[in-house]
Amino acid sequence: MEDSINRYREYLKSELSSAALYAELAEVETDQKRSAVFRELSSAEISHANVWSTKLGVDTPDPKLDLVCKVYLAVAKTFGIRWILPLLIREEEGEIDKYYEEKDALDVAQESRQHARLLKGLARGQTDPVPLWEGPTSRVRQSGSLRAAVLGINDGLISNFSLVMGVAGGTSNAEFVVLAGVAGLLAGAFSMAAGEYISMRSQRDLYEHEIHKESIEIRNWPDEETEELQQIYQAKGIPDEQARQIARHIMADPEVALDTMVREELGLDPDQLGSPSGAALASFTAFAFGAAIPVIPYLAGLGQTALFASATLVSIALLLVGATLAIWSGNRPYWGALRMLIAGGAAGLVTFTIGSLIGVSIDHLA
């Protein structure tokens, strides 16, 4: 009984926090139709909260953001709502898993499924729920983009912070530190962008080659491809005759046949192959943003306090990045933030120490 009460309290707290977040996002969103979707979601979360407060025998408290939702809101206000949509989708799908275990919460679970589909629709730029069968692919790709952006910021932050600390340890000349920091920012950002472009271009070329091969096979050997698609559906549990009819119907239209075979046989989404130039730009921007943080105090001309200010700014950024990655992975944000701070701080401390030793050695030789 005590376990049930504790679960209900957690559910109530989660639903109220989600309701508060959706209400805030409705205010942040400038598009009226999308804003209305968030208001609808907020009202639904209040209804879910009423379910759990009734079970607990208490009045439903006012919605209130928890720490995780505060981070989500801060990211949405800073970078845009689209950056947190994959995280919101993951939260809704997490609720589905939990509520499936509650015998009298299946209605709430079903509504959470609808919420996830609505959020996936918003991630695609629409206000209608996505079809059920398309949802998982969208979620994986969107969350992957978010992770790549956060990791890009983290790479720029730690690498350039280490560079700045190393140079600052070796010299008190702020101009040298700025030169090194800006050079590190540009070199790292262009290197990341070039690497991402080549990687994405190579991957896209490979996928397009495989799709082209599939189109040739469908055009030249339609009977074999029909049999292959039939076997795919049979492996999914569809009876032989039905699988044969479905395969023949699909193969009657070459465009539909190609799209289906690419998805079923190759496991690819033809509409989601990725943009090499877009990936390169995103990588450049993310790295440059992170790499600029440790240099800002020196560019501002803070003099002797620039080193301390740089370390402070970077520490705050490391905490935010660490917490964001932890939340995305479903872990505690506090530990993720602390782990990132320790790793980044250690890198900066080591390079600062080495820079100091090299600086002393050079002064001694001079």
Side-chain angles (χ1 to χ4, degrees):
M1 183 63 180
E2 184 66 27
D3 289 342
S4 296
I5 292 176
N6 290 334
R7 287 202 313 276
Y8 295 163
R9 286 173 178 167
E10 286 297 319
Y11 296 158
L12 176 60
K13 179 181 177 182
S14 175
E15 298 288 1
L16 290 172
S17 183
S18 295
L21 177 61
Y22 288 138
E24 292 282 355
L25 293 178
E27 298 298 323
V28 174
E29 178 59 64
T30 56
D31 183 272
Q32 293 301 313
K33 291 184 177 180
R34 293 169 66 88
S35 179
V37 172
F38 285 120
R39 285 195 294 272
E40 176 186 339
L41 290 170
S42 179
S43 298
E45 298 293 344
I46 292 292
S47 298
H48 294 177
N50 290 335
V51 172
W52 305 116
S53 60
T54 299
K55 291 182 178 296
L56 291 168
V58 299
D59 294 333
T60 303
D62 293 331
K64 182 179 180 181
L65 293 172
D66 61 15
L67 177 60
V68 171
C69 286
K70 287 180 180 178
V71 173
Y72 288 170
L73 182 60
V75 173
K77 288 182 175 179
T78 304
F79 301 106
I81 292 177
R82 67 187 182 89
W83 288 101
I84 67 166
L85 286 174
L87 300 174
L88 299 181
I89 293 169
R90 188 181 186 282
E91 291 289 334
E92 290 290 349
E93 292 181 337
E95 286 187 357
I96 297 171
D97 295 337
K98 291 186 297 184
Y99 292 159
Y100 274 162
E101 302 299 322
E102 303 286 345
K103 295 181 180 179
D104 47 359
L106 293 181
D107 289 342
V108 178
Q110 186 176 17
E111 289 186 13
S112 293
R113 291 183 67 193
Q114 177 72 4
H115 295 175
R117 292 173 59 208
L118 274 170
L119 290 170
K120 290 170 184 174
L122 291 178
R124 294 187 179 188
Q126 62 192 53
T127 54
D128 296 323
V130 298
L132 283 170
W133 69 275
E134 291 183 337
T137 299
S138 174
R139 180 180 71 85
V140 170
R141 294 190 182 276
Q142 289 291 338
S143 59
S145 299
L146 175 66
R147 178 181 287 272
V150 174
L151 289 176
I153 293 174
N154 186 58
D155 287 344
L157 182 66
I158 293 180
S159 64
N160 218 36
F161 176 58
S162 299
L163 176 61
V164 167
M165 289 298 100
V167 176
T171 178
S172 59
N173 190 323
E175 293 181 354
F176 287 169
V177 178
V178 171
L179 178 61
V182 173
L185 184 157
L186 293 175
F190 279 112
S191 175
M192 289 284 290
E196 190 68 26
Y197 179 86
I198 293 172
S199 174
M200 182 68 76
R201 183 69 265 174
S202 299
Q203 175 180 279
R204 188 180 177 96
D205 288 344
L206 175 61
Y207 290 164
E208 289 176 343
H209 176 66
E210 292 296 324
I211 293 173
H212 180 63
K213 283 173 56 181
E214 194 64 39
S215 68
I216 293 175
E217 292 172 359
I218 291 172
R219 184 173 64 250
N220 293 297
W221 305 289
D223 292 340
E224 292 183 8
E225 291 299 297
T226 300
E227 183 179 353
E228 184 176 7
L229 184 58
Q230 176 185 336
Q231 293 174 359
I232 290 173
Y233 286 136
Q234 288 173 340
K236 294 178 181 290
I238 298 177
D240 293 356
E241 185 57 34
Q242 291 184 20
R244 186 179 301 108
Q245 292 177 1
I246 294 172
R248 288 176 177 174
H249 180 73
I250 290 175
M251 286 296 170
D253 186 327
E255 291 187 6
V256 174
L258 178 60
D259 184 83
T260 303
M261 290 301 291
V262 167
R263 293 176 188 272
E264 296 290 352
E265 182 181 359
L266 303 180
L268 300 176
D269 184 345
D271 299 324
Q272 298 288 338
L273 298 185
S275 167
S277 58
L281 179 61
S283 182
F284 180 94
T285 303
F287 186 95
F289 179 82
I293 294 175
V295 187
I296 290 174
Y298 287 94
L299 291 174
L302 297 183
Q304 298 297 322
T305 62
L307 178 62
F308 175 77
S310 178
T312 301
L313 279 178
V314 169
S315 297
I316 294 172
L318 286 170
L319 289 171
L320 291 175
V321 171
T324 300
L325 286 173
I327 291 169
W328 191 94
S329 303
N331 297 319
R332 296 179 181 275
Y334 319 100
W335 169 238
L338 181 60
R339 180 172 56 190
M340 190 66 71
L341 178 62
I342 293 173
L349 179 61
V350 169
T351 54
F352 181 83
T353 302
I354 294 174
S356 298
L357 293 175
I358 294 175
V360 170
S361 300
I362 293 175
D363 290 341
H364 179 72
L365 292 175

